[in-house]
Amino acid sequence: MTATTSRPKIAVVGYGSQGRAHALNLRDSGFDVTVGLRPGGPTELKAKADGFTVKTPAEAVAEAELVSVLTPDMVQPQLYRDVIEPNIKQGACLLFAHGFNVHYGQITPRADLDVVLVAPKGPGALVRREYEIGRGVPSVYAVHQDKTGRAEEFALTYCGGIGGARQNAIKTTFKEETETDLFGEQAVLCGGATKLVQAGWETLVEAGYQPEVAYYECLHELKLIVDLFYEGGVTRMHEFISETAQYGALTRGTYIVDDHTKAQMRKVLTEIQDGTFARQWIAEYAAGNANYKALKQGDLEHPIEAVGKKLRANMKWLDNAPKTPAAAQAAPAATQGERQEEAA
């Protein structure tokens, strides 16, 4: 296949949070984009309303020089086996937004393909919004397989098309992207933060403090600190919190995150590196997700959720706040937090 690296014909398979953002940004950057979706699926009408040509995944893949796979992790192996591998052109470029399946051997791409990764470090809604105002969400990119000698060009061209190259695009590997992404989610961003908030709230309530006051102190105000982190790191936080808060944080923070916490984080990382987590999650999904659903329901039914729902009903400013990706999209939940894409 002879492809034009500067403007490859692209098939975007999946049209959830990331899929829609990538497709719209690429089209606005001048690329010929076709969206591959199941006929009659929940996002087919949405993609058509956005003005895209929508074809079956097999048809879209067969016509493309670059195929962007933006469906949930757990459906990708079957999608690749049944749809992509039999239809993708010789010498085409296969692109992922997360390295999970390639890194853990659930997908072994055909030897004739270029295989790359482009992962924006933000949810789809932000990827689109930043592109529209002339900026871009920073991205990482990687090359797993370079059959044509132009795989890195394809990755950077795609990264530029979605706006990621407007910032500093960082070269990584499928291994590094996958393992650090999973670790961040499990130890800090989702798993660690959730359990820290819940434990803090429980500690105050069990000590006799009002659940509503505990909610404000342990969950609601977390946004203020995270916003400061986001804007300027720990340095900015210290610039804006009181000296009392600083002293308490500096002298008591290690009560909570100590050597034992670090040891547990290393355990989390080891289970990611040696494949234990991947094997458990793949087996859980194959068995019907009973344990996953039960654990998730436990989070949803935690008492702090009922308190928060009541308090947020009086926070009228939330009605006009920009919607998060989860609220803005009707896509089903998927394996990765911001990769909530519709299965093709």
Side-chain angles (χ1 to χ4, degrees), residues 235-270:
T235 298
R236 189 161 179 84
M237 180 200 73
H238 280 299
E239 291 173 356
F240 282 85
I241 65 174
S242 70
E243 289 182 334
T244 302
Q246 289 182 62
Y247 180 76
L250 292 168
T251 61
R252 300 308 194 268
T254 52
Y255 287 15
I256 309 303
V257 179
D258 58 8
D259 289 343
H260 174 71
T261 310
K262 286 284 294 294
Q264 292 299 94
M265 286 184 168
R266 285 191 289 269
K267 180 179 179 182
V268 168
L269 182 57
T270 296

PDB file of all heavy atoms in Angstrom, residues 235-270:
ATOM      1  N   THR A 235       3.809  23.450  44.483  1.00  0.00           N
ATOM      2  CA  THR A 235       4.256  24.827  44.766  1.00  0.00           C
ATOM      3  C   THR A 235       3.075  25.786  44.815  1.00  0.00           C
ATOM      4  O   THR A 235       2.973  26.622  45.726  1.00  0.00           O
ATOM      5  CB  THR A 235       5.253  25.290  43.692  1.00  0.00           C
ATOM      6  OG1 THR A 235       6.404  24.444  43.717  1.00  0.00           O
ATOM      7  CG2 THR A 235       5.679  26.738  43.928  1.00  0.00           C
ATOM      8  N   ARG A 236       2.177  25.679  43.849  1.00  0.00           N
ATOM      9  CA  ARG A 236       1.027  26.592  43.821  1.00  0.00           C
ATOM     10  C   ARG A 236       0.090  26.334  45.004  1.00  0.00           C
ATOM     11  O   ARG A 236      -0.493  27.268  45.557  1.00  0.00           O
ATOM     12  CB  ARG A 236       0.268  26.456  42.500  1.00  0.00           C
ATOM     13  CG  ARG A 236      -0.809  27.532  42.321  1.00  0.00           C
ATOM     14  CD  ARG A 236      -1.200  27.650  40.863  1.00  0.00           C
ATOM     15  NE  ARG A 236      -2.243  28.644  40.648  1.00  0.00           N
ATOM     16  CZ  ARG A 236      -2.016  29.946  40.515  1.00  0.00           C
ATOM     17  NH1 ARG A 236      -0.776  30.406  40.589  1.00  0.00           N
ATOM     18  NH2 ARG A 236      -3.009  30.781  40.295  1.00  0.00           N
ATOM     19  N   MET A 237      -0.052  25.072  45.384  1.00  0.00           N
ATOM     20  CA  MET A 237      -0.878  24.783  46.554  1.00  0.00           C
ATOM     21  C   MET A 237      -0.343  25.522  47.771  1.00  0.00           C
ATOM     22  O   MET A 237      -1.092  26.156  48.513  1.00  0.00           O
ATOM     23  CB  MET A 237      -0.926  23.283  46.829  1.00  0.00           C
ATOM     24  CG  MET A 237      -1.783  22.921  48.042  1.00  0.00           C
ATOM     25  SD  MET A 237      -1.435  21.300  48.752  1.00  0.00           S
ATOM     26  CE  MET A 237       0.153  21.603  49.556  1.00  0.00           C
ATOM     27  N   HIS A 238       0.975  25.460  47.985  1.00  0.00           N
ATOM     28  CA  HIS A 238       1.563  26.122  49.145  1.00  0.00           C
ATOM     29  C   HIS A 238       1.399  27.646  49.084  1.00  0.00           C
ATOM     30  O   HIS A 238       1.352  28.314  50.121  1.00  0.00           O
ATOM     31  CB  HIS A 238       3.042  25.762  49.257  1.00  0.00           C
ATOM     32  CG  HIS A 238       3.286  24.425  49.882  1.00  0.00           C
ATOM     33  ND1 HIS A 238       2.897  24.117  51.167  1.00  0.00           N
ATOM     34  CD2 HIS A 238       3.869  23.298  49.399  1.00  0.00           C
ATOM     35  CE1 HIS A 238       3.237  22.880  51.453  1.00  0.00           C
ATOM     36  NE2 HIS A 238       3.824  22.350  50.390  1.00  0.00           N
ATOM     37  N   GLU A 239       1.286  28.174  47.872  1.00  0.00           N
ATOM     38  CA  GLU A 239       1.100  29.623  47.736  1.00  0.00           C
ATOM     39  C   GLU A 239      -0.289  30.073  48.174  1.00  0.00           C
ATOM     40  O   GLU A 239      -0.468  31.228  48.567  1.00  0.00           O
ATOM     41  CB  GLU A 239       1.321  30.043  46.278  1.00  0.00           C
ATOM     42  CG  GLU A 239       2.764  29.925  45.807  1.00  0.00           C
ATOM     43  CD  GLU A 239       2.897  30.178  44.318  1.00  0.00           C
ATOM     44  OE1 GLU A 239       1.848  30.367  43.640  1.00  0.00           O
ATOM     45  OE2 GLU A 239       4.027  30.168  43.809  1.00  0.00           O
ATOM     46  N   PHE A 240      -1.261  29.171  48.140  1.00  0.00           N
ATOM     47  CA  PHE A 240      -2.647  29.592  48.339  1.00  0.00           C
ATOM     48  C   PHE A 240      -3.322  29.032  49.582  1.00  0.00           C
ATOM     49  O   PHE A 240      -4.441  29.422  49.900  1.00  0.00           O
ATOM     50  CB  PHE A 240      -3.479  29.239  47.093  1.00  0.00           C
ATOM     51  CG  PHE A 240      -3.275  30.193  45.955  1.00  0.00           C
ATOM     52  CD1 PHE A 240      -2.232  30.025  45.069  1.00  0.00           C
ATOM     53  CD2 PHE A 240      -4.107  31.287  45.787  1.00  0.00           C
ATOM     54  CE1 PHE A 240      -2.025  30.917  44.027  1.00  0.00           C
ATOM     55  CE2 PHE A 240      -3.926  32.188  44.748  1.00  0.00           C
ATOM     56  CZ  PHE A 240      -2.871  32.000  43.870  1.00  0.00           C
ATOM     57  N   ILE A 241      -2.695  28.099  50.274  1.00  0.00           N
ATOM     58  CA  ILE A 241      -3.311  27.609  51.509  1.00  0.00           C
ATOM     59  C   ILE A 241      -2.675  28.322  52.694  1.00  0.00           C
ATOM     60  O   ILE A 241      -1.589  28.880  52.596  1.00  0.00           O
ATOM     61  CB  ILE A 241      -3.181  26.074  51.645  1.00  0.00           C
ATOM     62  CG1 ILE A 241      -1.712  25.651  51.787  1.00  0.00           C
ATOM     63  CG2 ILE A 241      -3.831  25.377  50.460  1.00  0.00           C
ATOM     64  CD1 ILE A 241      -1.509  24.170  52.067  1.00  0.00           C
ATOM     65  N   SER A 242      -3.360  28.288  53.825  1.00  0.00           N
ATOM     66  CA  SER A 242      -2.883  29.010  55.007  1.00  0.00           C
ATOM     67  C   SER A 242      -1.636  28.350  55.575  1.00  0.00           C
ATOM     68  O   SER A 242      -1.333  27.185  55.305  1.00  0.00           O
ATOM     69  CB  SER A 242      -3.975  29.029  56.077  1.00  0.00           C
ATOM     70  OG  SER A 242      -4.150  27.725  56.618  1.00  0.00           O
ATOM     71  N   GLU A 243      -0.922  29.105  56.392  1.00  0.00           N
ATOM     72  CA  GLU A 243       0.254  28.538  57.052  1.00  0.00           C
ATOM     73  C   GLU A 243      -0.132  27.397  57.980  1.00  0.00           C
ATOM     74  O   GLU A 243       0.606  26.432  58.140  1.00  0.00           O
ATOM     75  CB  GLU A 243       0.994  29.631  57.828  1.00  0.00           C
ATOM     76  CG  GLU A 243       1.713  30.635  56.936  1.00  0.00           C
ATOM     77  CD  GLU A 243       2.477  31.672  57.731  1.00  0.00           C
ATOM     78  OE1 GLU A 243       2.087  31.940  58.889  1.00  0.00           O
ATOM     79  OE2 GLU A 243       3.469  32.211  57.201  1.00  0.00           O
ATOM     80  N   THR A 244      -1.305  27.528  58.616  1.00  0.00           N
ATOM     81  CA  THR A 244      -1.782  26.437  59.482  1.00  0.00           C
ATOM     82  C   THR A 244      -1.974  25.169  58.668  1.00  0.00           C
ATOM     83  O   THR A 244      -1.571  24.073  59.089  1.00  0.00           O
ATOM     84  CB  THR A 244      -3.111  26.836  60.154  1.00  0.00           C
ATOM     85  OG1 THR A 244      -2.914  28.039  60.903  1.00  0.00           O
ATOM     86  CG2 THR A 244      -3.601  25.731  61.073  1.00  0.00           C
ATOM     87  N   ALA A 245      -2.605  25.314  57.478  1.00  0.00           N
ATOM     88  CA  ALA A 245      -2.817  24.157  56.608  1.00  0.00           C
ATOM     89  C   ALA A 245      -1.480  23.593  56.140  1.00  0.00           C
ATOM     90  O   ALA A 245      -1.290  22.366  56.086  1.00  0.00           O
ATOM     91  CB  ALA A 245      -3.678  24.553  55.419  1.00  0.00           C
ATOM     92  N   GLN A 246      -0.538  24.482  55.814  1.00  0.00           N
ATOM     93  CA  GLN A 246       0.766  24.022  55.358  1.00  0.00           C
ATOM     94  C   GLN A 246       1.476  23.225  56.452  1.00  0.00           C
ATOM     95  O   GLN A 246       2.017  22.136  56.199  1.00  0.00           O
ATOM     96  CB  GLN A 246       1.629  25.213  54.952  1.00  0.00           C
ATOM     97  CG  GLN A 246       1.185  25.905  53.675  1.00  0.00           C
ATOM     98  CD  GLN A 246       2.112  27.051  53.317  1.00  0.00           C
ATOM     99  OE1 GLN A 246       3.291  26.859  53.079  1.00  0.00           O
ATOM    100  NE2 GLN A 246       1.568  28.260  53.295  1.00  0.00           N
ATOM    101  N   TYR A 247       1.485  23.783  57.661  1.00  0.00           N
ATOM    102  CA  TYR A 247       2.175  23.095  58.753  1.00  0.00           C
ATOM    103  C   TYR A 247       1.543  21.738  59.032  1.00  0.00           C
ATOM    104  O   TYR A 247       2.236  20.729  59.218  1.00  0.00           O
ATOM    105  CB  TYR A 247       2.168  23.957  60.017  1.00  0.00           C
ATOM    106  CG  TYR A 247       2.860  23.287  61.182  1.00  0.00           C
ATOM    107  CD1 TYR A 247       4.256  23.221  61.232  1.00  0.00           C
ATOM    108  CD2 TYR A 247       2.127  22.690  62.214  1.00  0.00           C
ATOM    109  CE1 TYR A 247       4.892  22.586  62.278  1.00  0.00           C
ATOM    110  CE2 TYR A 247       2.764  22.056  63.258  1.00  0.00           C
ATOM    111  CZ  TYR A 247       4.150  22.003  63.289  1.00  0.00           C
ATOM    112  OH  TYR A 247       4.783  21.366  64.338  1.00  0.00           O
ATOM    113  N   GLY A 248       0.214  21.703  59.047  1.00  0.00           N
ATOM    114  CA  GLY A 248      -0.468  20.439  59.283  1.00  0.00           C
ATOM    115  C   GLY A 248      -0.169  19.417  58.200  1.00  0.00           C
ATOM    116  O   GLY A 248       0.056  18.230  58.482  1.00  0.00           O
ATOM    117  N   ALA A 249      -0.152  19.883  56.945  1.00  0.00           N
ATOM    118  CA  ALA A 249       0.131  18.973  55.834  1.00  0.00           C
ATOM    119  C   ALA A 249       1.555  18.438  55.909  1.00  0.00           C
ATOM    120  O   ALA A 249       1.806  17.239  55.718  1.00  0.00           O
ATOM    121  CB  ALA A 249      -0.086  19.703  54.509  1.00  0.00           C
ATOM    122  N   LEU A 250       2.493  19.323  56.209  1.00  0.00           N
ATOM    123  CA  LEU A 250       3.900  18.940  56.207  1.00  0.00           C
ATOM    124  C   LEU A 250       4.249  18.004  57.363  1.00  0.00           C
ATOM    125  O   LEU A 250       5.127  17.148  57.238  1.00  0.00           O
ATOM    126  CB  LEU A 250       4.776  20.196  56.279  1.00  0.00           C
ATOM    127  CG  LEU A 250       4.721  21.091  55.031  1.00  0.00           C
ATOM    128  CD1 LEU A 250       5.371  22.435  55.321  1.00  0.00           C
ATOM    129  CD2 LEU A 250       5.408  20.413  53.846  1.00  0.00           C
ATOM    130  N   THR A 251       3.570  18.171  58.500  1.00  0.00           N
ATOM    131  CA  THR A 251       3.898  17.354  59.676  1.00  0.00           C
ATOM    132  C   THR A 251       3.016  16.135  59.845  1.00  0.00           C
ATOM    133  O   THR A 251       3.400  15.188  60.545  1.00  0.00           O
ATOM    134  CB  THR A 251       3.811  18.200  60.966  1.00  0.00           C
ATOM    135  OG1 THR A 251       2.471  18.699  61.118  1.00  0.00           O
ATOM    136  CG2 THR A 251       4.794  19.357  60.913  1.00  0.00           C
ATOM    137  N   ARG A 252       1.840  16.127  59.224  1.00  0.00           N
ATOM    138  CA  ARG A 252       0.907  15.012  59.411  1.00  0.00           C
ATOM    139  C   ARG A 252       0.654  14.184  58.151  1.00  0.00           C
ATOM    140  O   ARG A 252       0.111  13.088  58.233  1.00  0.00           O
ATOM    141  CB  ARG A 252      -0.443  15.512  59.938  1.00  0.00           C
ATOM    142  CG  ARG A 252      -0.401  16.249  61.289  1.00  0.00           C
ATOM    143  CD  ARG A 252       0.331  15.452  62.349  1.00  0.00           C
ATOM    144  NE  ARG A 252       0.094  15.967  63.692  1.00  0.00           N
ATOM    145  CZ  ARG A 252       0.862  16.859  64.304  1.00  0.00           C
ATOM    146  NH1 ARG A 252       1.903  17.390  63.674  1.00  0.00           N
ATOM    147  NH2 ARG A 252       0.599  17.241  65.546  1.00  0.00           N
ATOM    148  N   GLY A 253       1.033  14.720  56.998  1.00  0.00           N
ATOM    149  CA  GLY A 253       0.806  13.978  55.762  1.00  0.00           C
ATOM    150  C   GLY A 253       1.458  12.615  55.767  1.00  0.00           C
ATOM    151  O   GLY A 253       0.910  11.634  55.256  1.00  0.00           O
ATOM    152  N   THR A 254       2.632  12.517  56.381  1.00  0.00           N
ATOM    153  CA  THR A 254       3.335  11.235  56.426  1.00  0.00           C
ATOM    154  C   THR A 254       2.706  10.249  57.409  1.00  0.00           C
ATOM    155  O   THR A 254       3.089   9.077  57.427  1.00  0.00           O
ATOM    156  CB  THR A 254       4.816  11.446  56.803  1.00  0.00           C
ATOM    157  OG1 THR A 254       4.892  12.234  58.000  1.00  0.00           O
ATOM    158  CG2 THR A 254       5.565  12.149  55.689  1.00  0.00           C
ATOM    159  N   TYR A 255       1.766  10.729  58.234  1.00  0.00           N
ATOM    160  CA  TYR A 255       0.994   9.767  59.038  1.00  0.00           C
ATOM    161  C   TYR A 255       0.157   8.876  58.108  1.00  0.00           C
ATOM    162  O   TYR A 255      -0.092   7.703  58.411  1.00  0.00           O
ATOM    163  CB  TYR A 255       0.016  10.496  59.969  1.00  0.00           C
ATOM    164  CG  TYR A 255       0.581  11.207  61.164  1.00  0.00           C
ATOM    165  CD1 TYR A 255       1.942  11.480  61.291  1.00  0.00           C
ATOM    166  CD2 TYR A 255      -0.272  11.626  62.185  1.00  0.00           C
ATOM    167  CE1 TYR A 255       2.434  12.151  62.402  1.00  0.00           C
ATOM    168  CE2 TYR A 255       0.211  12.299  63.301  1.00  0.00           C
ATOM    169  CZ  TYR A 255       1.564  12.565  63.406  1.00  0.00           C
ATOM    170  OH  TYR A 255       2.038  13.235  64.493  1.00  0.00           O
ATOM    171  N   ILE A 256      -0.305   9.469  57.022  1.00  0.00           N
ATOM    172  CA  ILE A 256      -1.226   8.774  56.114  1.00  0.00           C
ATOM    173  C   ILE A 256      -0.460   8.058  55.013  1.00  0.00           C
ATOM    174  O   ILE A 256      -0.665   6.868  54.764  1.00  0.00           O
ATOM    175  CB  ILE A 256      -2.222   9.780  55.496  1.00  0.00           C
ATOM    176  CG1 ILE A 256      -2.888  10.623  56.591  1.00  0.00           C
ATOM    177  CG2 ILE A 256      -3.252   9.053  54.637  1.00  0.00           C
ATOM    178  CD1 ILE A 256      -3.607   9.820  57.645  1.00  0.00           C
ATOM    179  N   VAL A 257       0.398   8.787  54.334  1.00  0.00           N
ATOM    180  CA  VAL A 257       1.189   8.193  53.255  1.00  0.00           C
ATOM    181  C   VAL A 257       2.598   7.995  53.792  1.00  0.00           C
ATOM    182  O   VAL A 257       3.410   8.919  53.822  1.00  0.00           O
ATOM    183  CB  VAL A 257       1.184   9.090  52.004  1.00  0.00           C
ATOM    184  CG1 VAL A 257       2.039   8.466  50.900  1.00  0.00           C
ATOM    185  CG2 VAL A 257      -0.238   9.299  51.511  1.00  0.00           C
ATOM    186  N   ASP A 258       2.864   6.772  54.237  1.00  0.00           N
ATOM    187  CA  ASP A 258       4.140   6.459  54.866  1.00  0.00           C
ATOM    188  C   ASP A 258       4.837   5.344  54.105  1.00  0.00           C
ATOM    189  O   ASP A 258       4.475   5.033  52.963  1.00  0.00           O
ATOM    190  CB  ASP A 258       3.920   6.079  56.335  1.00  0.00           C
ATOM    191  CG  ASP A 258       2.967   4.894  56.493  1.00  0.00           C
ATOM    192  OD1 ASP A 258       2.596   4.268  55.469  1.00  0.00           O
ATOM    193  OD2 ASP A 258       2.583   4.590  57.644  1.00  0.00           O
ATOM    194  N   ASP A 259       5.818   4.726  54.715  1.00  0.00           N
ATOM    195  CA  ASP A 259       6.560   3.662  54.038  1.00  0.00           C
ATOM    196  C   ASP A 259       5.657   2.483  53.685  1.00  0.00           C
ATOM    197  O   ASP A 259       5.864   1.823  52.664  1.00  0.00           O
ATOM    198  CB  ASP A 259       7.714   3.182  54.922  1.00  0.00           C
ATOM    199  CG  ASP A 259       8.838   4.210  55.028  1.00  0.00           C
ATOM    200  OD1 ASP A 259       8.866   5.124  54.176  1.00  0.00           O
ATOM    201  OD2 ASP A 259       9.664   4.109  55.955  1.00  0.00           O
ATOM    202  N   HIS A 260       4.662   2.214  54.537  1.00  0.00           N
ATOM    203  CA  HIS A 260       3.730   1.127  54.224  1.00  0.00           C
ATOM    204  C   HIS A 260       2.926   1.460  52.967  1.00  0.00           C
ATOM    205  O   HIS A 260       2.718   0.588  52.114  1.00  0.00           O
ATOM    206  CB  HIS A 260       2.781   0.884  55.399  1.00  0.00           C
ATOM    207  CG  HIS A 260       1.707  -0.122  55.094  1.00  0.00           C
ATOM    208  ND1 HIS A 260       1.974  -1.466  54.959  1.00  0.00           N
ATOM    209  CD2 HIS A 260       0.370   0.030  54.868  1.00  0.00           C
ATOM    210  CE1 HIS A 260       0.841  -2.108  54.681  1.00  0.00           C
ATOM    211  NE2 HIS A 260      -0.136  -1.227  54.619  1.00  0.00           N
ATOM    212  N   THR A 261       2.484   2.715  52.855  1.00  0.00           N
ATOM    213  CA  THR A 261       1.744   3.117  51.662  1.00  0.00           C
ATOM    214  C   THR A 261       2.601   2.937  50.421  1.00  0.00           C
ATOM    215  O   THR A 261       2.142   2.423  49.396  1.00  0.00           O
ATOM    216  CB  THR A 261       1.301   4.587  51.775  1.00  0.00           C
ATOM    217  OG1 THR A 261       0.659   4.802  53.029  1.00  0.00           O
ATOM    218  CG2 THR A 261       0.361   4.954  50.643  1.00  0.00           C
ATOM    219  N   LYS A 262       3.860   3.378  50.498  1.00  0.00           N
ATOM    220  CA  LYS A 262       4.771   3.213  49.362  1.00  0.00           C
ATOM    221  C   LYS A 262       4.958   1.737  49.026  1.00  0.00           C
ATOM    222  O   LYS A 262       5.026   1.358  47.849  1.00  0.00           O
ATOM    223  CB  LYS A 262       6.128   3.854  49.674  1.00  0.00           C
ATOM    224  CG  LYS A 262       6.144   5.366  49.638  1.00  0.00           C
ATOM    225  CD  LYS A 262       6.150   5.899  48.207  1.00  0.00           C
ATOM    226  CE  LYS A 262       7.418   5.566  47.461  1.00  0.00           C
ATOM    227  NZ  LYS A 262       8.618   6.227  48.008  1.00  0.00           N
ATOM    228  N   ALA A 263       5.047   0.892  50.049  1.00  0.00           N
ATOM    229  CA  ALA A 263       5.208  -0.541  49.812  1.00  0.00           C
ATOM    230  C   ALA A 263       3.988  -1.098  49.086  1.00  0.00           C
ATOM    231  O   ALA A 263       4.114  -1.933  48.175  1.00  0.00           O
ATOM    232  CB  ALA A 263       5.426  -1.272  51.138  1.00  0.00           C
ATOM    233  N   GLN A 264       2.804  -0.643  49.495  1.00  0.00           N
ATOM    234  CA  GLN A 264       1.579  -1.099  48.825  1.00  0.00           C
ATOM    235  C   GLN A 264       1.513  -0.579  47.388  1.00  0.00           C
ATOM    236  O   GLN A 264       1.031  -1.268  46.490  1.00  0.00           O
ATOM    237  CB  GLN A 264       0.354  -0.638  49.614  1.00  0.00           C
ATOM    238  CG  GLN A 264       0.200  -1.303  50.969  1.00  0.00           C
ATOM    239  CD  GLN A 264       0.046  -2.812  50.857  1.00  0.00           C
ATOM    240  OE1 GLN A 264       1.011  -3.571  50.951  1.00  0.00           O
ATOM    241  NE2 GLN A 264      -1.182  -3.245  50.620  1.00  0.00           N
ATOM    242  N   MET A 265       2.001   0.643  47.169  1.00  0.00           N
ATOM    243  CA  MET A 265       2.059   1.168  45.801  1.00  0.00           C
ATOM    244  C   MET A 265       2.998   0.334  44.936  1.00  0.00           C
ATOM    245  O   MET A 265       2.700   0.055  43.766  1.00  0.00           O
ATOM    246  CB  MET A 265       2.506   2.626  45.808  1.00  0.00           C
ATOM    247  CG  MET A 265       1.442   3.595  46.278  1.00  0.00           C
ATOM    248  SD  MET A 265       2.026   5.308  46.154  1.00  0.00           S
ATOM    249  CE  MET A 265       0.486   6.199  46.399  1.00  0.00           C
ATOM    250  N   ARG A 266       4.116  -0.064  45.522  1.00  0.00           N
ATOM    251  CA  ARG A 266       5.038  -0.925  44.769  1.00  0.00           C
ATOM    252  C   ARG A 266       4.383  -2.267  44.448  1.00  0.00           C
ATOM    253  O   ARG A 266       4.631  -2.848  43.385  1.00  0.00           O
ATOM    254  CB  ARG A 266       6.337  -1.119  45.548  1.00  0.00           C
ATOM    255  CG  ARG A 266       7.243   0.112  45.528  1.00  0.00           C
ATOM    256  CD  ARG A 266       8.632  -0.197  46.068  1.00  0.00           C
ATOM    257  NE  ARG A 266       8.605  -0.409  47.506  1.00  0.00           N
ATOM    258  CZ  ARG A 266       8.781   0.557  48.400  1.00  0.00           C
ATOM    259  NH1 ARG A 266       8.992   1.803  48.006  1.00  0.00           N
ATOM    260  NH2 ARG A 266       8.756   0.293  49.700  1.00  0.00           N
ATOM    261  N   LYS A 267       3.543  -2.745  45.356  1.00  0.00           N
ATOM    262  CA  LYS A 267       2.814  -3.989  45.093  1.00  0.00           C
ATOM    263  C   LYS A 267       1.845  -3.796  43.924  1.00  0.00           C
ATOM    264  O   LYS A 267       1.732  -4.668  43.047  1.00  0.00           O
ATOM    265  CB  LYS A 267       2.048  -4.421  46.348  1.00  0.00           C
ATOM    266  CG  LYS A 267       1.253  -5.703  46.171  1.00  0.00           C
ATOM    267  CD  LYS A 267       0.525  -6.096  47.454  1.00  0.00           C
ATOM    268  CE  LYS A 267      -0.294  -7.363  47.254  1.00  0.00           C
ATOM    269  NZ  LYS A 267      -1.048  -7.733  48.485  1.00  0.00           N
ATOM    270  N   VAL A 268       1.133  -2.685  43.926  1.00  0.00           N
ATOM    271  CA  VAL A 268       0.238  -2.374  42.805  1.00  0.00           C
ATOM    272  C   VAL A 268       1.030  -2.362  41.499  1.00  0.00           C
ATOM    273  O   VAL A 268       0.621  -2.949  40.491  1.00  0.00           O
ATOM    274  CB  VAL A 268      -0.457  -1.013  43.028  1.00  0.00           C
ATOM    275  CG1 VAL A 268      -1.163  -0.539  41.757  1.00  0.00           C
ATOM    276  CG2 VAL A 268      -1.463  -1.115  44.178  1.00  0.00           C
ATOM    277  N   LEU A 269       2.181  -1.686  41.508  1.00  0.00           N
ATOM    278  CA  LEU A 269       2.992  -1.579  40.302  1.00  0.00           C
ATOM    279  C   LEU A 269       3.511  -2.945  39.861  1.00  0.00           C
ATOM    280  O   LEU A 269       3.499  -3.271  38.660  1.00  0.00           O
ATOM    281  CB  LEU A 269       4.158  -0.617  40.539  1.00  0.00           C
ATOM    282  CG  LEU A 269       5.081  -0.367  39.340  1.00  0.00           C
ATOM    283  CD1 LEU A 269       4.304   0.152  38.141  1.00  0.00           C
ATOM    284  CD2 LEU A 269       6.198   0.599  39.722  1.00  0.00           C
ATOM    285  N   THR A 270       3.942  -3.760  40.809  1.00  0.00           N
ATOM    286  CA  THR A 270       4.445  -5.094  40.476  1.00  0.00           C
ATOM    287  C   THR A 270       3.364  -5.930  39.802  1.00  0.00           C
ATOM    288  O   THR A 270       3.630  -6.640  38.818  1.00  0.00           O
ATOM    289  CB  THR A 270       4.952  -5.807  41.740  1.00  0.00           C
ATOM    290  OG1 THR A 270       6.066  -5.088  42.271  1.00  0.00           O
ATOM    291  CG2 THR A 270       5.381  -7.236  41.429  1.00  0.00           C
TER     292      THR A 270
END
